[in-house]
Amino acid sequence: MLTPRRVWEAAWLLLGLAVPVAFQRWSYDAFELPKQVVNLVVVEAAAVLALALWLVRTPKNDWRTRIRGLPSWLRARAGVCVALGVGAAWLLAAAGSVAPEQSWWGLPPRWAGARAQLAHAVLLAAASCCLRRPEQLQRLAVVTAAAGSLAAGYGLLQRFGRDPFEWGGYVGATVAADLTGRPPGTFGNPNFLAGYLVLSTYVTAGALVTARRPIVRGALAAAALIQVAALAFTQTRGAWLGAMAGAAAFATLLAALRGRAWRRWLAGAVGVAVTVLLGLRIAQPVLTEGTLLARAANMVSPTEVTASIRLALWRLTSTAWLARPLTGFGPDAIAPVFQRAYGADLVAAEGPKGGGTQYDRSENATIDTLLATGALGGLSLLAVGVVTAWSVARLARRARAAPGPWLPLMAGTAAALAAHLVAQQFNVEVVGASFLAWLLAGALIGLGQDPAAPGAAGATEADAGVPGRSAAVVAALAAGAMAATAIAWWEVRPLRAGVEYEQGLTLQRAGRPAEAIPRLNAANGLWPHYYLYWAELGYADRAAARTASGPEKERLYRDALRAVDRGIQLNAAHPLVWSYWGDIAAEVALATNDLTLRNRAKAAHVRATDLAPGWWRYWQSAGESDMLLGDFPAAKERFTRSAALSPGNWVLWASLGDAANRQGDIAVARMAYERALGLNPGEATVTTIRRALESLAG
């Protein structure tokens, strides 16, 4: 008999298998977006179908009783209560966001808008209500082991140079990426793959210890080995620390659930971990560079390049949420925080990398949550953690009274969440790991409910409702299927937009803007919520206007301005959109001799540099617009600022030399050209700069 509970179980099993392995190769957003689409389609379709079945299976005379019993129903379901709190926190954060439209829909590359977070809250609530028997958790564990093996197996293929695909770094890349050093698997990033594997590995380990049939144990053991190997090859130190925490939690929880002296196990696990870390630290000077052991030794080296960058990001942004303490800056709207915090500390931490990365996350999920949702979001997640821990403690007490064969599986599930919690302090949130973490938390909460409560462990499917008329059930299924089709069509739009955008961007970079414009228009028609799509359309219109004439030229320039205007509407808090607007407006003002637009272009660049005074690219962009408009003193000032912020960039010194030369400041021009030459800009550029030096008077 099909019931809402069975619908939800089918949904999370499908998610467990499909989300980790989902990717596509038709656009740059090849990994995170397909996973988000699968997650949203399955969760939304399951919610619609489960609701339809519940409605047709609920007697008409039972509504008043159910409504009156809602408070007591909620009191018996802590998972639903905390899920409601999480959903409310994210909705409030989106409503008060610095970019509300963007916060609701999400944007590349993480697609972590309020809709995605609500899907996670729904998964938590559904699992806590419907996953009440250990057999259900076992089925989820087996599916997770299979998906983890597929994702990890693909990573191993990449590690040994057997990837059937060639992956470039970005749109328009012409050189295949070398993935043998740190394979990203089906996640597109080794850190993200590792973040998922610390969850799936312990779920698999719990299922392995629980299993009794030899063939099942053999398959699960193979799955665990594949995942451990891939986790090692990702060389993700934060995930390795999470795996160590997970191992300690697994041993301790297994001892507690079996009624043994868990404190001794915990002390022993901590002692082993400390010994291993100290040993790696002592052996670090003699370890061969590039080996896994040398990489592991860097876990205790905070001055190592990427570790120092993380520390700088945390230091610069950890208190920024206090500017908007209750609801934060909004889901997927925190990139401007990092633009504003960018400065000398981060440039120094990057060292030879040169200060050119545009950060949009802190590489710490806790800090990112506070920035996105403020104290309300942080408290809601804390509540989830408290209720989950309470449920695990309840399971431990129950296990001591009546031990059962499922204890290792529950210990593995809890250990997976402990490992995830530690690993997320060094990683950003991605749906491929988050959906599973929310499911597992809901599972532990559901299993920890009072056995006497309706729908608790051991309950039958009849608890989901009374049988309805077959015709009504068929109608509900038909309506659910139609709704699922409509949902899939709707949710796939950003994927289609990404394909159109990549094709348009490729044409634009090939110098064919007239052909790129229809593609970019199509991308914006499918997904009008991303400022970068509009900015690139503006640049394509501008490029096409350069070769047009008469009314067509004017029309294209107006279209370019309208496109970047839309970008401002989407996210006026981001300095990047102001910089884009200033770039295009300056050229349009010059072409149309519009003095008002010229002043607005300069004001837009001032706005960008005010929002992110430590980011050299905005000063460079402002200087280039000033050069275009003939304001050489202003250009010299702005190039001076940009070169001071990124002194290792020869382009900035050469640009400063050009601005000073055009102004007539020979001393500054000579100094800037000489600095540029000292940074080894390349043979052709050296020749050009030397000619400029020779042309200077005096």
Side-chain angles (χ1 to χ4, degrees):
M1 181 171 57
L2 186 61
T3 65
R5 181 173 297 172
R6 288 182 174 176
V7 168
W8 276 116
E9 182 168 4
W12 68 58
L13 291 177
L14 178 58
L15 289 175
L17 184 61
V19 170
V21 300
F23 67 90
Q24 54 88 16
R25 286 182 43 80
W26 299 285
S27 69
Y28 166 62
D29 211 340
F31 298 97
E32 188 68 6
L33 179 55
K35 289 174 169 52
Q36 284 284 16
V37 169
V38 171
N39 190 55
L40 289 171
V41 168
V42 173
V43 170
E44 292 170 8
V48 169
L49 182 55
L51 178 61
L53 287 171
W54 182 79
L55 289 174
V56 300
R57 295 165 61 84
T58 301
K60 294 181 180 179
N61 58 2
D62 201 26
W63 284 101
R64 291 183 180 178
T65 303
R66 288 180 180 269
I67 293 173
R68 285 196 298 267
L70 184 61
S72 59
W73 186 89
L74 286 173
R75 283 196 297 272
R77 288 163 176 80
V80 176
C81 295
V82 293
L84 288 172
V86 170
W90 284 97
L91 285 174
L92 287 172
S97 170
V98 297
E101 182 176 345
Q102 178 179 293
S103 285
W104 170 250
W105 295 106
L107 79 168
R110 300 281 75 82
W111 295 95
R115 292 191 321 136
Q117 307 301 337
L118 290 177
H120 293 155
V122 170
L123 280 177
L124 173 68
S128 68
C129 287
C130 302
L131 202 160
R132 296 296 186 88
R133 300 193 311 279
E135 295 91 337
Q136 293 175 288
L137 182 58
Q138 175 77 343
R139 289 193 286 268
L140 176 59
V142 170
V143 167
T144 300
S149 298
L150 291 173
Y154 184 41
L156 293 178
L157 286 177
Q158 294 171 328
R159 171 64 177 79
F160 295 107
R162 294 293 185 266
D163 192 339
F165 304 116
E166 288 188 359
W167 296 100
Y170 295 93
V171 174
T174 57
V175 179
D178 181 8
L179 306 180
T180 58
R182 298 185 62 200
T186 57
F187 283 72
N189 185 308
N191 294 346
F192 303 162
L193 173 61
Y196 168 75
L197 290 177
V198 295
L199 279 164
S200 65
T201 299
Y202 283 105
V203 174
T204 304
L208 169 62
V209 180
T210 301
R212 292 293 177 263
R213 296 175 59 187
I215 188 170
V216 175
R217 299 192 72 173
L220 289 171
L225 287 174
I226 291 171
Q227 292 173 78
V228 169
L231 177 59
F233 285 130
T234 63
Q235 300 189 45
T236 303
R237 293 158 300 177
W240 289 351
L241 287 171
M244 294 175 67
F250 191 35
T252 303
L253 289 168
L254 197 56
L257 290 171
R258 288 176 169 173
R260 297 176 181 174
W262 63 269
R263 292 180 179 84
R264 294 181 181 177
W265 282 89
L266 178 60
V270 171
V272 169
V274 171
T275 302
V276 169
L277 292 174
L278 287 175
L280 288 171
R281 180 63 174 173
I282 294 170
Q284 189 175 20
V286 299
L287 294 175
T288 303
E289 188 68 25
T291 62
L292 291 179
L293 280 177
R295 179 74 173 176
N298 283 336
M299 288 191 293
V300 287
S301 297
T303 57
E304 190 268 342
V305 175
T306 55
S308 64
I309 292 173
R310 278 186 170 86
L311 290 174
L313 282 172
W314 298 349
R315 184 172 61 253
L316 293 169
T317 60
S318 58
T319 59
W321 68 277
L322 293 173
R324 297 173 64 92
L326 288 179
T327 59
F329 292 84
D332 235 354
I334 61 175
V337 174
F338 300 92
Q339 301 276 315
R340 296 169 189 175
Y342 198 95
D345 289 352
L346 200 48
V347 173
E350 288 182 319
K353 291 192 173 184
T357 304
Q358 292 199 29
Y359 300 98
D360 66 348
R361 297 294 190 277
S362 67
E363 302 292 331
N364 182 305
T366 300
I367 295 175
D368 290 342
T369 297
L370 287 173
L371 290 172
T373 61
L376 292 180
L379 289 174
S380 69
L381 293 184
L382 179 62
V384 174
V386 169
V387 171
T388 304
W390 171 79
S391 299
V392 172
R394 195 169 190 175
L395 285 169
R397 290 194 299 270
R398 194 183 301 163
R400 284 195 294 270
W406 304 102
L407 301 183
L409 178 59
M410 296 177 186
T413 302
L417 289 176
H420 175 72
L421 179 63
V422 173
Q424 285 300 99
Q425 306 315 304
F426 307 92
N427 206 349
V428 301
E429 182 203 20
V430 293
V431 67
S434 291
F435 93 93
L436 183 57
W438 288 100
L439 264 179
L440 296 179
L444 290 175
I445 293 171
L447 291 166
Q449 295 299 300
D450 186 352
T460 66
E461 292 293 343
D463 294 326
V466 299
R469 294 173 299 172
S470 59
V473 172
V474 170
L477 290 174
M482 293 174 61
T485 302
I487 288 168
W489 174 84
W490 177 267
E491 294 295 355
V492 82
R493 290 180 310 137
L495 273 174
R496 294 167 56 202
V499 174
E500 295 286 353
Y501 174 73
E502 178 162 347
Q503 292 176 351
L505 193 58
T506 300
L507 289 168
Q508 185 176 338
R509 291 180 174 177
R512 298 155 63 186
E515 299 173 59
I517 290 171
R519 294 291 189 182
L520 295 173
N521 270 319
N524 284 299
L526 288 165
W527 195 254
H529 315 294
Y530 185 27
Y531 62 84
L532 189 57
Y533 285 0
W534 291 103
E536 293 297 345
L537 175 60
Y539 280 117
D541 285 324
R542 182 184 68 170
R546 290 171 176 171
T547 58
S549 60
E552 179 67 7
K553 187 182 192 74
E554 294 181 7
R555 181 189 67 79
L556 287 167
Y557 272 136
R558 286 196 303 270
D559 288 347
L561 281 176
R562 277 196 293 266
V564 287
D565 279 340
R566 175 61 176 149
I568 293 288
Q569 294 170 11
L570 286 170
N571 194 350
H574 203 310
L576 186 64
V577 295
W578 289 103
S579 182
Y580 285 159
W581 199 96
D583 284 344
I584 290 177
E587 183 168 332
V588 176
L590 185 66
T592 59
N593 197 26
D594 187 332
L595 183 59
T596 301
L597 187 58
R598 171 194 176 101
N599 292 334
R600 290 179 62 196
K602 293 176 72 68
H605 282 299
V606 169
R607 176 68 172 158
T609 53
D610 284 346
L611 287 172
W615 185 249
W616 59 268
R617 287 188 185 274
Y618 298 135
W619 292 102
Q620 179 194 29
S621 180
E624 289 170 350
S625 289
D626 286 329
M627 289 287 285
L628 183 66
L629 296 172
D631 190 348
F632 304 121
K636 185 182 76 171
E637 178 185 351
R638 285 167 166 172
F639 284 131
T640 299
R641 290 290 297 272
S642 64
L645 291 168
S646 183
N649 190 331
W650 68 264
V651 174
L652 303 178
W653 290 106
S655 297
L656 173 58
D658 291 340
N661 191 5
R662 298 289 294 276
Q663 185 192 0
D665 190 338
I666 304 304
V668 171
R670 186 180 302 279
M671 177 276 299
Y673 285 141
E674 289 174 351
R675 286 290 299 271
L677 287 174
L679 295 171
N680 302 317
E683 185 176 345
T685 305
V686 165
T687 301
T688 302
I689 294 176
R690 289 194 183 281
R691 288 174 181 169
L693 273 170
E694 292 170 359
S695 69
L696 296 178

